[in-house]
Amino acid sequence: MTTLHAGRRERAARLLELHEAHEVLALVNVWDVASARALAELPETRAIATASHAIAAVFGYDDGEQIPVDLMLDMVGRIALCTDLPVTADLEAGYGSPGETVRRAIGLGVVGANLEDGMRPHIESVENVASAVNAAHAEGVISFVLNARTDAFLLRGDRPLDDTIEDAVERGRAYLDAGAACVFVPGVTEVAVIERLVEGIGERRVSLLGHLHAPLSLERLAALGVARVSYGPSPQRVALAALQHAARDLHASTGPRAH
């Protein structure tokens, strides 16, 4: 086994352990090498997660696989290269070929990924998860952490809550059976809904999208059985807002130019 492969397997196993621990894995998403290095310097940071929306914004693209896959993977690879921490990448829906995209990401040093279903037909979504997991295994990364996302709540529309929960649970269980490590259900904040998702999908198997000023603490989410919380593009928005604020202060301190 080469040193490269051994290190990759070790980081994958470490990332999986973090998902199975009794405390919630909190991932403040990054979008470039500078943001990844800034977070990696913090002792509280145990893994690095990229945000597809934020990386697309760096290059001037909208979210939703508008960015060319080569450009997305180039940035993901640069991020993975800059740290010894496990890196999990948001790969949207797989850019037309989930298995191949995961294979390429692993070659760049990534040991986990998000893969969203976009509420595609059930069978197609499960096949996409399976193809991603199979690609990871073919690359020798058995502990690859696939965070399979269902958009049941994001694309809920006017569907009844009970039907939406049932759909999320059914898809989540199927994704776990196909080899996913956990199930990402963004758009959920209510305790009662989280409890039903954890009951239906499993403890330490549910991943949520957090908010920087969310009312539920990480300790409370851990008590509810949640495995992971990530923050998507919110950290980038906070950073850019801080940049604007600093610029306003700078301009205010200089005053009007003399003519």
Side-chain angles (χ1 to χ4, degrees), residues 71-179:
L71 200 54
M72 175 64 75
L73 288 176
D74 178 72
M75 181 62 83
V76 165
R78 290 172 184 270
I79 291 169
L81 190 62
C82 83
T83 178
D84 291 329
L85 292 172
V87 173
T88 176
D90 182 353
L91 299 179
E92 303 200 68
Y95 301 93
S97 181
E100 175 62 12
T101 301
V102 165
R103 185 194 68 78
R104 292 178 62 187
I106 289 173
L108 296 169
V110 168
V111 295
N114 282 13
L115 192 67
E116 61 196 54
D117 64 11
M119 295 307 287
R120 292 171 178 79
H122 184 89
I123 293 177
E124 179 184 346
S125 297
V126 173
E127 288 176 347
N128 286 342
V129 169
S131 69
V133 172
N134 290 339
H137 289 182
E139 293 298 307
V141 187
I142 305 302
S143 299
F144 188 83
V145 178
L146 187 67
N147 188 34
R149 170 176 143 179
T150 176
D151 294 317
F153 281 85
L154 290 183
L155 302 179
R156 174 185 173 188
D158 58 359
R159 293 183 67 198
L161 178 60
D162 286 345
D163 291 350
T164 304
I165 294 174
E166 182 179 344
D167 200 356
V169 168
E170 181 182 2
R171 285 174 175 265
R173 285 176 172 170
Y175 299 161
L176 293 176
D177 288 342

